[in-house]
Amino acid sequence: QTRRSGSRTPPQPLPPATLSSASRSSTDRRLATVVRVPKYHRRSARILLVDGSDRLLLLRSAPNSVEPTHCWITPGGGVDASETLAAAAVREAREEIGLRVAESGLGAPVAWGCGRVPALPEAGVFRDDYFHVRVDAHEVDTSAMEDFEAGNHQGHRWWTVADLESTTERVIPYG
């Protein structure tokens, strides 16, 4: 039987990296042998906090061995071994910016990013999962930051979309 052009079956999306091998179909398991999903060295849960004026809260991070100049980052941090992503996001929001939010109020992550950090102590592949939280207003309180966080924190700022589009400062995540 001859196939006409244009009658191809469209390519199927790859399975998400979050599925366990037990829950994957046999096709997914075959794809997983071809497409290598990295083992993440570090998972983090991050908050995209937007206020009633549609501004995004970012924290200024001090230069360090990984980032040689300051940069602006979202609140959040590492997921402890016994934590869910949502539980880590709730804990980090409370520690870093004094925001109290319930896990049930987060929903699913709205975005994620990953990459490789070449320098120690965090060398390896990382993945950041982002939760969106909207508030009318929020007064940032950094008094519960851990010593490491407080030592790397150089302030915070609420950014408009126009601010983000025009800045020459480094903002992570990009885009």
Side-chain angles (χ1 to χ4, degrees):
Q1 186 172 14
T2 309
R3 257 188 182 193
R4 287 190 235 153
S5 70
S7 65
R8 291 184 339 159
T9 304
Q12 298 301 307
L14 294 176
T18 56
L19 290 178
S20 71
S21 59
S23 66
R24 291 186 181 153
S25 70
S26 62
T27 301
D28 291 344
R29 284 192 294 275
R30 285 195 315 271
L31 281 172
T33 63
V34 175
V35 179
R36 303 265 189 257
V37 176
K39 180 177 185 296
Y40 297 112
H41 172 73
R42 183 177 192 266
R43 290 290 302 265
S44 71
R46 309 199 76 75
I47 299 287
L48 298 168
L49 183 62
V50 179
D51 73 3
S53 298
D54 290 329
R55 299 177 304 167
L56 175 69
L57 178 68
L58 295 175
L59 306 178
R60 184 176 161 142
S61 181
N64 57 50
S65 62
V66 175
E67 299 291 338
T69 61
H70 81 269
C71 61
W72 293 93
I73 60 173
T74 57
V79 178
D80 293 337
S82 62
E83 281 183 311
T84 63
L85 283 170
V90 166
R91 177 182 50 77
E92 290 288 344
R94 186 184 65 253
E95 289 175 0
E96 292 191 355
I97 58 174
L99 179 69
R100 298 205 182 276
V101 60
E103 284 183 53
S104 59
L106 289 179
V110 296
W112 62 273
C114 66
R116 181 171 295 279
V117 175
L120 295 173
E122 294 293 336
V125 177
F126 67 90
R127 177 175 168 146
D128 295 330
D129 287 83
Y130 295 86
F131 293 89
H132 176 255
V133 176
R134 182 172 281 280
V135 294
D136 290 331
H138 178 67
E139 191 66 37
V140 175
D141 175 5
T142 61
S143 64
M145 278 189 173
E146 295 178 359
D147 290 343
F148 171 79
E149 294 165 334
N152 287 304
H153 179 73
Q154 293 184 324
H156 65 275
R157 176 178 166 189
W158 291 94
W159 295 70
T160 65
V161 171
D163 293 337
L164 290 167
E165 289 174 336
S166 64
T167 189
T168 58
E169 295 183 83
R170 188 160 183 206
V171 175
I172 299 172
Y174 303 109

